[in-house]
Amino acid sequence: MLRALLWDVDGTVAETERDGHRVAFNEAFELAGLPWHWDVAHYGRLLEITGGRERLLADMAERVGAPLRPEDREALARHLHGLKNEGYARLVNAGGIAARPGVLEVMAAARAAGLRQAIVTTTSRSNVQALLGKLLGPQWQDSFEAVCCGEDTQRKKPDPEVYLLALRRLGLAAQEALAIEDSAPGARAAAGAAVPLLLRPSVYFPARQLPPDLPAGSLGMVCPADAPFDLALLQHSHARLTAGSDQTAGALR
Ligand code: XBP
Ligand code: MG
């Protein structure tokens, strides 16, 4: 039985990556006096690295002109990441990011129906606070029993740690929850924790199928980005995914 919705944030709640984080990273480069710029395509490639600070370090490893010593790179990544998160909050507060269609309605309907909800993200807590505070209002935390963020785990998605943490905080078995994700790393994280998954692809992950490298027996299905998205769909998807055996998952993959 479905007892909780586990929400990814970036790409799932809103298209934050291309129009939010990427823009704020570029602003941070400018503020720091660096002639660096992440265009839409380059940022798309970097999204395989989850975590903004980790993404900066991965980019520096390939970038001519980046500091050579690891400790200098680490310090610069921390500085830029701080500037980026401040800029991201400004951008979000100015109304620069809208929720994806149906998301706020599903959150409200789930709450009204007594369905439990949690945030399960690799993004920093300050970014979750900025985005959900803007989209849902200052009482946004009332809708979520657990808010699991990048700071709460040792390993970020695609590692399943953040899903396992959310299940532990809610006291639920994996099959009692439904993960809503937009990306391949997010799908891998949910599947690694054996949480049934609804993948609603975002602009950077225009998938029609689940990623091929999910663990065997993973329970998941894809909701096309332009399909209607409502609570009935989520309930129906979860019931379908958990009704049978692994064969169900096999058929859906
Ligand atoms: C997406 C991420 C994050 C964001 C940037 O997280 O990988 O790193 O791109 O946020 P999710 P930070 O889809 O799990 O919400 O700079 O705070 O890491
Ligand atoms: Mg995501």
Side-chain angles (χ1 to χ4, degrees):
M1 184 179 169
L2 178 60
R3 295 194 189 280
L5 301 180
L6 306 186
W7 292 95
D8 169 51
V9 173
D10 292 304
T12 297
V13 172
E15 289 286 4
T16 49
E17 294 292 9
R18 184 189 57 194
D19 306 329
H21 291 294
R22 186 188 68 88
V23 173
F25 274 117
N26 286 328
E27 250 175 53
F29 299 148
E30 231 176 287
L31 281 172
L34 293 165
W36 302 353
H37 182 85
W38 287 354
D39 65 26
V40 172
H42 183 63
Y43 192 68
R45 288 188 290 276
L46 286 173
L47 280 179
E48 271 299 315
I49 316 288
T50 54
R53 193 181 55 80
E54 292 83 347
R55 198 167 294 144
L56 283 161
L57 287 169
D59 184 70
M60 280 190 230
E62 316 259 291
R63 190 170 283 280
V64 178
L68 292 177
R69 294 192 319 168
E71 56 270 39
D72 294 340
R73 277 189 198 170
E74 186 61 49
L76 181 57
R78 280 190 191 284
H79 177 60
L80 290 171
H81 193 229
L83 289 177
K84 186 279 285 181
N85 284 350
E86 285 169 21
Y88 178 80
R90 277 196 301 276
L91 194 153
V92 165
N93 280 323
I97 303 281
R100 287 186 67 182
V103 166
L104 300 183
E105 291 80 359
V106 169
M107 286 177 174
R111 199 172 169 200
L115 202 53
R116 303 168 75 189
Q117 302 187 80
I119 296 295
V120 184
T121 175
T122 57
T123 200
S124 312
R125 190 166 295 276
S126 66
N127 297 331
V128 176
Q129 164 69 47
L131 184 71
L132 296 185
K134 180 69 183 175
L135 296 179
L136 292 172
Q139 307 303 320
W140 69 271
Q141 298 223 31
D142 294 352
S143 296
F144 303 98
E145 273 187 54
V147 180
C148 303
C149 303
E151 293 92 335
D152 301 330
T153 60
Q154 298 290 317
R155 295 169 302 281
K156 293 188 171 157
K157 298 175 188 175
D159 192 284
E161 186 180 351
V162 70
Y163 274 100
L164 297 172
L165 175 68
L167 291 172
R168 210 163 50 242
R169 288 195 181 162
L170 294 172
L172 290 179
Q175 297 246 331
E176 295 178 300
L178 180 70
I180 307 150
E181 283 281 356
D182 69 298
S183 71
R188 287 185 204 117
V195 177
L197 161 74
L198 188 69
L199 182 69
R200 189 190 194 200
S202 55
V203 286
Y204 271 121
F205 298 93
R208 300 205 151 267
Q209 293 177 332
L210 295 179
D213 57 351
L214 297 189
S218 300
L219 299 171
M221 56 199 295
V222 177
C223 166
D226 52 359
F229 183 76
D230 57 27
L231 185 56
L233 169 84
L234 271 59
Q235 286 166 324
H236 176 73
S237 305
H238 184 268
R240 220 174 130 195
L241 289 167
T242 54
S245 59
D246 289 351
Q247 281 174 351
T248 316
L252 290 166
R253 289 175 71 191

